[in-house]
Amino acid sequence: MANIQNPASQAQQPGQGAFAAIKARIFHPATRQKLLAFASLLTLMVFFSFASSNFLEIDNLVSILQSTAVNGVLAIACTFVIITAGIDLSVGTLMTFCAVMAGVFLTYMGLPIYIGIAAAIFFGALCGWVSGVLVAKLKIPPFIATLGMMMLLKGLSLVISGTKPIYFNDTPGFSAISQDSLIGNLIPALPIPNAVLILFLVAIAAGVILNKTIFGRYTFALGSNEEALRLSGVNVDFWKVAIYTFSGAICGIAGLLIASRLNSAQPALGQGYELDAIAAVVIGGTSLSGGTGTILGTIIGAFIMSVLINGLRMMSVAQEWQTVVTGVIIILAVYMDILRRRRQ
């Protein structure tokens, strides 16, 4: 009897194993967090569509996509740093500084557009490198190091620009980086701005780097157990500086997007963007304690923040109350992260 039943039970094992693998993946904490975040995004959209008849209009949806592009790119930059159990409070002012430097090269010096694009990314990487050195080599806590960089870059942006906006009216094609629609030219029914296309290209590239390269593996390892990584012979300081440098370069892309959207570099802009970016990262499931996080979750979190802010504006909620709601969302997101860590 045992010999007759055994083949049948063995035949069922592959199916059972596949089902168990799918079940384990669905109920994995990281997957549950992304599903919860996506459900929250859909709930917000349904709520605001009933609260305001104009919410689902094409122009408003395009506006949400535009604002998500900038915040989403900044959030991607923050994701790498937060996975290492660090924090970067300078991403907002770094974005502005990169926009100002693009203005210096394009408007003040009259150089070709590709030089301005390269300059924005270069200065973003350079400032990220400085932050990385402060954290990795000088052992300054990330909160303090990046807080200092935030104030430093805010001042530099004002000094270099003379406290006045730098306009790109004499740089043909610069506004097309963010405002034109390559997809809309091919499919007129989908006027999706180029900024959104750039966001998803950056997200795909960042996802591949985070999950498929040694750079990504060391990013997770730094957040999981930095000392164990050091004892295994890895140059921890080098990789930490590299991660902050990479994050800074992504902030340079965000600087180009917002400058192109406004067709100007606004030196007083930027402070406060870091809060929305960090909130998007935490809502998307990246732990402030480090070691876990996904780019997909971060993008969902960025859309949640954009939909929330846009919906509150459509409901004519005062700016100060929008700030209150944002603060509450950040506190709740961090508390949920603490609860997740306790369960694990």
Side-chain angles (χ1 to χ4, degrees), residues 213-230:
T213 68
I214 190 171
F215 185 92
R217 290 197 293 272
Y218 284 156
T219 300
F220 283 112
L222 280 169
S224 298
N225 195 327
E226 181 178 330
E227 188 59 27
L229 190 63
R230 190 189 307 275

Side-chain angles (χ1 to χ4, degrees), residues 306-317:
S306 296
V307 168
L308 178 64
I309 293 172
N310 179 273
L312 292 174
R313 288 175 182 168
M314 296 295 290
M315 294 175 63
S316 300
V317 176

Side-chain angles (χ1 to χ4, degrees), residues 2-329:
N3 292 335
I4 296 174
Q5 292 175 354
N6 190 44
S9 63
Q10 289 179 350
Q12 293 175 358
Q13 286 180 359
Q16 292 174 348
F19 177 76
I22 294 172
K23 183 178 178 181
R25 187 174 183 84
I26 292 175
F27 288 97
H28 190 275
T31 304
R32 285 205 311 268
Q33 174 61 24
K34 287 196 285 286
L35 290 174
L36 179 61
F38 186 68
S40 300
L41 174 61
L42 293 179
T43 302
L44 282 174
M45 293 192 69
V46 170
F47 172 77
F48 286 126
S49 65
F50 282 105
S52 174
S53 59
N54 298 324
F55 180 78
L56 292 179
E57 290 186 356
I58 294 297
D59 290 343
N60 188 58
L61 294 178
V62 169
S63 177
I64 292 174
L65 290 173
Q66 280 277 25
S67 59
T68 305
V70 174
N71 190 44
V73 171
L74 283 183
I76 291 170
C78 285
T79 301
F80 282 85
V81 173
I82 292 176
I83 288 176
T84 67
I87 197 75
D88 193 346
L89 300 178
S90 68
V91 293
T93 53
L94 176 53
M95 172 188 72
T96 299
F97 178 72
C98 293
V100 168
M101 294 310 300
V104 168
F105 279 81
L106 295 177
T107 301
Y108 290 173
M109 298 183 181
L111 296 175
I113 189 171
Y114 64 87
I115 298 293
I117 293 172
I121 297 174
F122 170 78
F123 281 101
L126 177 62
C127 293
W129 178 84
V130 172
S131 294
V133 169
L134 293 175
V135 172
K137 297 294 186 181
L138 302 185
K139 307 304 178 184
I140 299 174
F143 182 90
I144 301 300
T146 57
L147 177 63
M149 282 298 293
M150 178 181 75
M151 303 306 295
L152 174 70
L153 293 171
K154 180 180 179 180
L156 284 176
S157 297
L158 293 169
V159 169
I160 293 172
S161 65
T163 71
K164 298 179 181 179
I166 303 175
Y167 293 97
F168 296 96
N169 296 330
D170 296 329
T171 307
F174 187 78
S175 62
I177 295 174
S178 180
Q179 298 184 50
D180 281 9
S181 177
L182 180 62
I183 296 176
N185 292 335
L186 299 174
I187 309 174
L190 293 175
I192 299 174
N194 288 341
V196 181
L197 180 61
I198 293 172
L199 165 64
F200 285 113
L201 289 176
V202 171
I204 292 170
V208 171
I209 291 170
L210 189 60
N211 296 300
K212 302 295 183 182
T213 68
I214 190 171
F215 185 92
R217 290 197 293 272
Y218 284 156
T219 300
F220 283 112
L222 280 169
S224 298
N225 195 327
E226 181 178 330
E227 188 59 27
L229 190 63
R230 190 189 307 275
L231 293 175
S232 67
V234 175
N235 188 341
V236 169
D237 290 348
F238 169 81
W239 286 104
K240 192 174 289 187
V241 172
I243 290 165
Y244 276 87
T245 303
F246 181 70
S247 173
I250 296 176
C251 290
I253 297 174
L256 289 168
L257 290 180
I258 196 166
S260 174
R261 179 184 176 186
L262 301 174
N263 203 33
S264 65
Q266 301 286 337
L269 190 67
Q271 193 166 348
Y273 276 78
E274 67 280 347
L275 299 180
D276 290 343
I278 293 171
V281 175
V282 178
I283 291 170
T286 299
S287 174
L288 289 172
S289 301
T292 60
T294 62
I295 300 299
L296 176 59
T298 293
I299 296 300
I300 295 173
F303 272 103
I304 288 175
M305 293 301 298
S306 296
V307 168
L308 178 64
I309 293 172
N310 179 273
L312 292 174
R313 288 175 182 168
M314 296 295 290
M315 294 175 63
S316 300
V317 176
Q319 178 66 44
E320 54 269 24
W321 282 107
Q322 294 178 32
T323 306
V324 169
V325 172
T326 302
V328 170
I329 292 296

